[in-house]
Amino acid sequence: MSVAPAFASRLLTPRTVVAAATAVSALGGVAVLRALDPNAGGLWPCAFHAITGLHCPGCGLTRALHALVHGDIARAWAMNPLAMIALPLLAMMLAQWWVSRPLMPAWLSRRAHDGRWWIATLVVFGVLRNLPYAPFAWMAPG
């Protein structure tokens, strides 16, 4: 038996394939956001905002990622503060899954892997960012 196939079978695990596909997709997204400016138009508008006039939890996400790719963290936060909190958490969740060992405190890992927490957070953020008065008006993209 050859050593190369055994090494390749350990290297090409489903976890490694998913992690590699995620990394390639992220790099592709970075390349697109480096080249295109969603603030200048030309990209798809938010359908929810176009129909209702309200900001969904994802409104401003493309512009936030564009700002983040260009190193403007303050602008990214102004566009979608929830995304700026969620992105590092999601990256840590993926890394934790890939290495198959805890990388986050247990209390945070439990909440991060509970879909009910994500749904509740998105609903609350979506409602609060549409309130036109302080202290919530800052959550609207812009």
Side-chain angles (χ1 to χ4, degrees), residues 20-36 44 65 69:
T22 303
V24 168
S25 298
L27 288 173
V30 167
V32 168
L33 289 171
R34 292 286 300 169
L36 300 175
W44 55 94
L65 292 173
V69 164

Side-chain angles (χ1 to χ4, degrees), residues 87-136:
L87 284 174
L89 182 59
L90 292 169
M92 187 63 82
M93 290 170 62
L94 179 63
Q96 182 171 282
W97 172 79
W98 185 47
V99 299
S100 299
R101 64 185 176 103
L103 300 174
M104 296 185 283
W107 66 269
L108 180 59
S109 185
R110 276 193 307 277
R111 284 184 180 86
H113 287 87
D114 185 356
R116 295 172 298 183
W117 182 87
W118 286 100
I119 291 169
T121 301
L122 289 171
V123 169
V124 169
F125 179 69
V127 169
L128 293 180
R129 76 184 323 203
N130 284 291
L131 298 177
Y133 44 84
F136 309 110

